[in-house]
């Protein structure tokens, strides 16, 4: 206490104005402080400061006044640090790329306000979900369920059935929101590509370059702006690869929380991938190859015992195979839980399956044969009326023009139209296939025509055979032309055959006719498309009659024809024919009666599931030819394009076409990567090490992942015999773009040791590449966004390859 008092006394030691006494020297004027060296000096402010003078007998001192305090605070800020903190870094380039991707995918998404290409299928399937009508499709349910859910949330009731390409959307259809789901998937693909590049060990410069390529590809933009499944397929493909790479980078922490999390995320991404399309098996194959390489490294690690190695294998199998299989079962369970009403899918499934459905407005099976019904036989003559229009299938001797006004060529064969009046030229003769098409004869047996029989139809007035082929229809070039066969030394035999599909009959059932009651579809056996009336009037060269085409949207009402008139064949034994007809009616009646007893048979989920899988696999192989089909060898250099929509009044159109310069550069990059890899291997064999061991291993492993990803998503299509389109190549594209960015990045390895001006030249060349890619994107943007409408000359200027199908009027 005495020490504290002494300290206070020393601090208020009076000081004489203008002088002080030094205890050591005694010299006046020196600054003297009697306190110890540990005490801070007391400031002596000037007159008028905040220290009032203190009057004393010999000295005058200043007493400090405490600073004024603020208002009393009721709440005191806690000085304790938070328990959990996270310091984030903002990657500005990542977010800028995401914003540009958003603009490129969502800009004018409402245009065109018409059904585009396969929106006729996937939009219709969403409508069927909302009306709970059973349908059949070759793809799993996830993508269609997403579209249906978005439509349901936005008030869509499923009444619009997306009947044909070019139909305008009513105001009640939230088609923009439904397209937005695809657009969002297209946007999210860009950060996936960025992250994959960084996970593979490439620089952020290469990641930015790959992201720019992904943003500026016209085909990826187009596919993310339509109600189709491919945008989901591509996103989940690269999301599954990204998740596994994230998992791979924490392999030094096996069985940790993060280890399990990323492996589960990979399994969920694969489940979503296989829930959209079964071609997602190619993505599963990519992840499978990465997993095998990962396990091979673990096998070579002596620090891992056999039990842990077995656990590694089992957990990978459980997460990467078990989760997708469980998700697939769950999706089909939801699919069947929703679709309980009979519908167009009934024709594809078995009788017990149909019996498990509620009979809706479109019953799939005939429950009785009318006593007045007549058996349809080969050799009969009949007329077909369109169910949508009051017109009959018609032909006459006039030919399609050799060239249309827009410059497109036709088959120059005999016209087939839909005529509004009854006429002798509306009559057709049915015969069995296999006879000489150039020697048309009406002689044929009189066997009954059965459902799903393949037949040939002869126009009675001109004795020409009905056919279709890969020539664009006159007014609807997205569909195929229908004509009657004239031999121009061409082998048209495969194009002459049609499959009869009578509504309400099982396969192989005899077809019975009553006036105006028999409804059927004629499926072109070669292209697997249905003959349809479009409702568009042809020009004067076709006498203003309606256009007839083949349509990929087989299930629409425009493909249904009603058989109105029937003339039976002149059989030699009329009595025998009538007796055969009576016996067939009796057999059908007996079968229908026997089936009534098992109509309530229960069919369990797994029975339905495996039946649907079987039909989906077999239906994939039955997809026929198409005029805009493209074989795989045409894909890398864009040998073929795919029209999605053409405006009826001008040349505004949406056509699936890639960014030509980008596709060509990236194809060259594949060759450069292979050539450099072989070059490095040969040089290393000669003990010339152009790259360090780490750089060479990175070049081979990371570049190899991208090359294998491209090959896995491309090469298997050469094994398929079904019709293929350019959009089947799109899942392979991001791998190719990333490989192009990797090759550009690798060029810096050779330049960084050279003089500084060459570094500048390198960046200028990269900038030039981006400018060229951007220019190519903008040149073909009118085909991407359907806007603006180009003139015929502008379209012809963009026809860089004669095989491209760029339409114009």
């Amino acid at each position: 206490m005495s020490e504290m008092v002494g300290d206070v006394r020393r601090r208020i030691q009076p000081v004489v104005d203008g002088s002080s006494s030094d205890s050591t020297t005694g010299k006046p004027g020196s600054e003297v402080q009697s306190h110890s060296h540990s005490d801070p000096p007391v400031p002596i402010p000037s007159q008028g400061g905040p220290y009032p003078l203190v009057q004393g007998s010999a000295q005058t001192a200043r007493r400090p006044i405490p600073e004024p305090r603020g208002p009393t605070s009721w709440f005191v800020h806690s000085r304790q640090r938070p328990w959990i903190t996270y310091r984030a870094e903002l990657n500005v380039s990542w977010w800028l790329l995401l914003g540009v991707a958003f603009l490129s995918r969502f800009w004018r998404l409402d245009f065109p306000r018409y059904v585009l290409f396969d929106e006729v299928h996937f939009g219709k399937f969403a409508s069927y979900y909302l009306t709970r009508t059973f349908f059949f499709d070759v793809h799993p349910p996830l993508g269609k369920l997403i579209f249906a859910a978005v439509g349901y949330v936005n008030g869509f009731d499923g009444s619009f059935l997306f009947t044909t390409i070019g139909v305008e959307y009513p105001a009640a259809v939230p088609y923009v929101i439904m397209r937005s789901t695809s657009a969002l998937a297209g946007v999210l693909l860009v950060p996936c590509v960025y992250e994959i590049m960084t996970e593979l060990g490439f620089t952020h410069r290469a990641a930015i370059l790959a992201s720019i390529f992904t943003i500026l590809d016209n085909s990826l933009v187009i596919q993310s702006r339509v109600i189709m499944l491919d945008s989901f397929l591509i996103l989940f493909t690269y999301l599954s690869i990204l998740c596994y790479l994230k998992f791979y980078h924490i392999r030094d922490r096996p069985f940790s929380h993060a280890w399990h999390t990323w492996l589960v995320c990979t399994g969920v991404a694969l489940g979503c991938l296989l829930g959209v399309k079964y071609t997602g098996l190619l993505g599963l194959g990519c992840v499978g190859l990465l997993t095998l390489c990962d396990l091979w490294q673990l096998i070579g690690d002596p620090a891992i015992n056999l039990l842990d190695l077995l656990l590694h294998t089992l957990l990978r199998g459980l997460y990467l195979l078990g989760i997708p299989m469980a998700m697939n079962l769950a999706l089909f369970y939801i699919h069947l839980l929703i679709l309980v009403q009979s519908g167009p899918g009934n024709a594809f499934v078995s009788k017990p399956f149909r019996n498990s459905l509620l009979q809706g407005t479109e019953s799939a099976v005939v429950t009785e044969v009318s006593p007045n019904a007549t058996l349809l036989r080969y050799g009969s003559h009949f007329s077909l009326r369109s169910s949508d229009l009051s017109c009959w299938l018609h032909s006459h001797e006039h030919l399609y023009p050799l060239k249309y006004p827009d410059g497109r060529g036709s088959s120059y064969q005999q016209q087939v139209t839909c005529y509004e009046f009854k006429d002798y030229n509306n009559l057709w003769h049915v015969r069995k296939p296999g006879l000489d098409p150039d020697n048309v004869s009406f002689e044929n047996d009189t066997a009954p025509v059965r459902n799903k029989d393949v037949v040939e139809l002869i126009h009675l007035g001109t004795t020409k055979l009905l056919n279709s082929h890969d020539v664009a229809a006159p007014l609807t070039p997205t569909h195929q032309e229908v004509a009657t066969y004239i031999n121009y030394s061409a082998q048209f035999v495969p194009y002459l055959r049609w499959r009869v599909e009578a509504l309400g009959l099982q396969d192989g059932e005899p077809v019975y006719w009553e006036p105006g009651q028999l409804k059927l579809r004629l499926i072109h056996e070669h292209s697997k498309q249905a003959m349809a009336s479009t409702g568009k009037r042809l020009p004067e060269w076709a006498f203003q009659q309606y256009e007839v085409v083949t349509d990929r949207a087989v299930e629409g009402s425009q493909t249904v024809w009603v058989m109105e008139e029937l003339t039976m064949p002149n059989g030699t034994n009329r009595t025998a024919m009538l007796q055969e007809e009576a016996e067939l009616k009796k057999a059908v009646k007996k079968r229908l009666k026997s089936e009534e007893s098992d109509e309530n048979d229960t069919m369990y989920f797994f029975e339905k599931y495996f039946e649907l899988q079987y039909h989906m696999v077999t239906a994939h192989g039955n997809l026929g030819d198409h005029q805009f089909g493209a074989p795989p060898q045409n894909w890398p250099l864009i040998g073929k394009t795919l029209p999605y929509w053409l405006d009826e009044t001008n040349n505004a159109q949406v056509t699936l076409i890639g960014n030509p310069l980008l596709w060509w550069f990236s194809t060259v990059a594949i060759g450069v990567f292979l050539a450099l890899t072989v070059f490095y291997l040969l040089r290393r064999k000669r003990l010339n090490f152009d790259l360090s061991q780490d750089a060479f291993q990175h070049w081979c492993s990371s570049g190899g992942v991208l090359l294998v990803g491209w090959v896995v998503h491309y090469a298997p299509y050469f094994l398929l015999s079904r019709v293929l389109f350019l959009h089947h190549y799109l899942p392979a594209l991001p791998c190719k773009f990333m490989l192009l960015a990797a090759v550009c990045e690798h060029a810096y390895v050779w330049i960084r040791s050279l003089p500084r001006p060459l570094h500048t030249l390198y960046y200028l060349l990269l900038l030039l590449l981006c400018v060229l890619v951007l220019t190519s994107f903008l040149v073909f943007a009118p085909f991407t966004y359907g806007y603006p409408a180009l003139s015929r000359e502008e379209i012809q200027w963009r026809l860089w390859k004669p095989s491209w199908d760029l339409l114009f009027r």
Side-chain angles (χ1 to χ4, degrees), residues 627-631 634 637-642 656 726 803-805:
Q627 59 181 345
F628 298 124
N634 288 348
L637 299 177
I638 320 181
K640 193 82 170 172
T641 60
L642 181 57
L656 182 65
L726 186 62
S803 59
W804 289 356
D805 295 299

Side-chain angles (χ1 to χ4, degrees), residues 442-698:
F442 296 109
E443 297 298 327
N444 207 339
D445 62 46
T446 57
V449 176
R450 296 179 179 271
N451 195 34
K452 298 295 181 71
D453 272 3
V454 176
V455 303
E456 290 178 352
L457 298 179
I458 304 173
H459 183 242
L460 206 59
T462 59
T463 67
K464 298 293 190 297
L465 284 120
L466 185 70
N467 79 90
S468 182
H469 34 245
D470 55 352
V471 175
L475 300 183
T476 315
T478 53
H479 296 61
Q480 290 188 177
E481 176 192 273
V482 176
T484 49
Y485 169 72
I486 297 177
N487 184 7
Y488 293 118
S489 300
Q491 295 298 320
F492 264 66
V493 173
Y495 305 100
L496 303 174
R497 296 174 180 175
W498 302 82
R499 187 172 70 250
V500 177
E501 292 191 358
L503 274 61
L505 289 184
Q506 297 184 32
D507 296 358
E509 287 287 335
V511 178
Y512 289 91
W513 170 83
E514 279 190 278
Q517 299 299 315
L518 175 58
K519 296 182 179 180
L520 54 84
R521 290 186 175 97
L522 291 175
I523 310 298
H524 191 235
E525 185 66 10
H526 186 73
S527 65
K528 302 299 185 291
Q529 302 184 51
M531 188 169 66
S533 56
T534 63
K536 299 177 182 178
R537 287 194 180 274
L538 295 164
E540 291 295 335
W541 51 258
F543 310 101
Q544 298 288 322
Q545 297 173 14
Y546 289 111
E547 180 187 41
V548 174
V549 299
T550 57
D551 194 340
R552 295 181 68 235
V554 173
E555 297 174 359
S557 61
Q558 76 280 2
T559 63
V560 177
W561 299 83
V562 181
M563 187 177 291
E564 288 205 336
E565 302 175 61
L566 178 67
T567 302
M568 298 302 296
N570 296 319
T572 56
N573 192 340
R574 189 71 177 175
T575 304
M577 292 170 59
L578 293 174
Q579 184 179 357
E580 180 186 23
E581 184 171 329
E583 290 176 354
L584 286 173
K585 284 185 178 180
K586 188 184 297 184
V588 171
K589 185 176 181 180
K590 183 179 180 180
R591 179 186 58 78
L592 293 174
K593 186 175 181 180
S594 65
E595 289 178 352
E596 289 178 359
S597 60
D598 60 6
E599 282 187 354
N600 296 322
D601 287 351
T602 302
M603 194 173 186
Y604 296 103
F605 166 71
F606 281 102
E607 295 176 290
K608 294 182 179 180
Y609 173 80
F610 287 114
E611 181 177 334
L612 285 178
Q613 304 308 307
Y614 169 77
H615 291 307
M616 290 165 68
V617 171
T618 55
H620 260 294
N622 294 328
L623 299 177
D625 197 9
H626 192 275
Q627 59 181 345
F628 298 124
Q633 59 267 24
N634 288 348
W635 296 346
L637 299 177
I638 320 181
K640 193 82 170 172
T641 60
L642 181 57
Y644 277 9
W645 167 77
L646 175 65
D647 194 272
E648 294 184 358
T649 59
N650 54 45
N651 290 324
Q653 62 185 286
V654 175
T655 298
L656 182 65
I657 182 172
N659 185 323
L661 293 184
L662 180 57
W663 282 42
W664 298 340
F665 288 153
S666 57
T667 302
V668 171
I670 294 173
V672 172
F673 174 81
L674 291 173
L676 280 177
T677 304
V678 173
F679 171 77
Y680 289 143
L681 288 172
L682 293 176
R683 293 272 293 170
R684 294 175 78 85
K685 193 69 173 176
R686 300 285 296 175
L687 302 182
N688 295 311
F689 300 97
D690 303 291
L691 300 177
S692 66
Q693 180 61 30
D694 290 342
F696 178 72
Q697 183 175 350
H698 174 258

Side-chain angles (χ1 to χ4, degrees), residues 267-304:
V268 171
L270 289 173
C272 294
L273 176 61
L274 295 180
V276 172
K277 278 189 175 183
Y278 279 150
T279 51
L281 288 169
L282 302 179
L284 178 63
C286 282
V287 175
L289 290 175
L290 290 174
T291 305
L292 291 177
C293 294
D294 185 15
L295 290 174
W296 185 254
Q297 287 182 319
L298 294 177
I299 291 173
D301 188 351
I304 300 178

Side-chain angles (χ1 to χ4, degrees), residues 10 54 96 111 151 155 181 224 241 343 374 409 422 428 460 468 475 486 522 549 580 678 701 730 764 796:
R10 284 192 298 270
V54 180
L96 284 176
F111 187 84
T181 57
S224 63
I241 294 173
T374 302
K422 291 190 176 183
W428 300 83
L460 206 59
S468 182
L475 300 183
I486 297 177
L522 291 175
V549 299
E580 180 186 23
V678 173
S701 58
L730 300 188
L764 288 176
Q796 288 178 329

Side-chain angles (χ1 to χ4, degrees), residues 97 193-194 197 203-216 662 737-746 762 765-767 769-771 773:
L97 290 168
V193 167
Y194 188 102
M197 289 294 287
T203 64
H204 286 275
R205 177 176 53 221
I208 292 172
L209 200 59
S211 301
I212 291 174
F213 295 157
T214 305
I215 292 172
L216 295 181
L662 180 57
F737 296 160
M738 287 188 280
L739 193 59
L740 173 59
V743 170
C744 293
E745 174 68 20
H746 186 69
Y762 168 77
L765 289 175
L766 281 186
L767 179 61
L769 174 63
C770 293
V771 170
V773 170

